[in-house]
Amino acid sequence: MKLPTKLPLMVLIAILSFSCSTDSIDEKADAIELNLTTLDAKSIEVEILELINDHRMSIGLNTLKEMPVVKSVAYSHTDYMIDNNEISHDNFYTRSDYLKAKAGAKKVSENVAYGYTSAESVVKAWIKSEGHKANIEGDFSNFDISAEQGVEGKWYYTNIFIKK
């Protein structure tokens, strides 16, 4: 990305990094850089989104629409987790604020995971977890996911949900 296109993003991150908040649990604001790029969906990502929408339809909920900016933000966090070799929700409020400003989100939530080798296994694990299931079944309009393999070959996942 060229400097002129990075500069506004860097200013936004700097402003968000220095704002006072009591909601800063697990925030490492100095370690985030949103890599906003257009990404092609991997087959595992497409399958995860389909499984989530299938689950939502099976219980009478609306299906969620994919959104490139959400995917890009999810990818940025997945890349961050790989770089740090740990699963986390670090910098969630920065991602949330960004999606509220750039995607018109009124509400943002996310599921993360590590190590699952198939779309079915990660979605089943999320549905078995009360908090993750609440996100999957929540009042949202859009979502997207990033699934990336770390250097050791283990999968990392970030699934972000928004309500516009």
Side-chain angles (χ1 to χ4, degrees), residues 76-143:
S76 180
H77 183 61
T78 302
D79 194 43
Y80 170 86
M81 291 191 300
I82 290 170
D83 286 348
N84 289 283
N85 199 31
E86 69 177 1
I87 186 169
S88 74
H89 291 284
D90 290 354
N91 308 304
F92 171 75
Y93 293 104
T94 302
R95 289 188 297 286
S96 176
D97 289 345
Y98 183 86
L99 289 169
K100 288 174 181 175
K102 299 295 183 185
K106 295 184 184 348
K107 178 174 141 182
V108 179
S109 193
E110 74 181 12
N111 289 342
V112 296
Y114 166 79
Y116 295 93
T117 58
S118 71
E120 187 176 359
S121 65
V122 72
V123 173
K124 280 185 178 181
W126 281 335
I127 290 173
K128 287 181 183 177
S129 163
E130 187 176 319
H132 295 101
K133 181 179 180 182
N135 288 337
I136 288 172
E137 296 177 357
D139 182 22
F140 297 105
S141 56
N142 300 83
F143 70 156

Side-chain angles (χ1 to χ4, degrees), residues 31-88:
I32 186 171
E33 180 179 338
L34 295 175
N35 300 317
L36 301 178
T37 58
T38 303
L39 303 163
D40 292 330
K42 295 175 190 64
S43 60
I44 192 169
E45 294 168 335
V46 171
E47 190 176 348
I48 290 168
L49 298 177
E50 288 173 351
L51 288 168
I52 289 171
N53 270 337
D54 288 349
H55 174 77
R56 289 178 62 87
M57 285 189 307
S58 76
I59 58 173
L61 297 174
N62 64 302
T63 58
L64 304 177
K65 294 175 180 69
E66 297 167 45
M67 192 172 199
V69 68
V70 174
K71 180 173 191 56
S72 188
V73 171
Y75 172 78
S76 180
H77 183 61
T78 302
D79 194 43
Y80 170 86
M81 291 191 300
I82 290 170
D83 286 348
N84 289 283
N85 199 31
E86 69 177 1
I87 186 169
S88 74

Side-chain angles (χ1 to χ4, degrees), residues 1-12 33 36 98 102:
M1 194 181 311
K2 295 180 181 174
L3 184 58
T5 57
K6 254 188 160 175
L7 190 57
L9 178 59
M10 291 170 60
V11 170
L12 174 65
E33 180 179 338
L36 301 178
Y98 183 86
K102 299 295 183 185

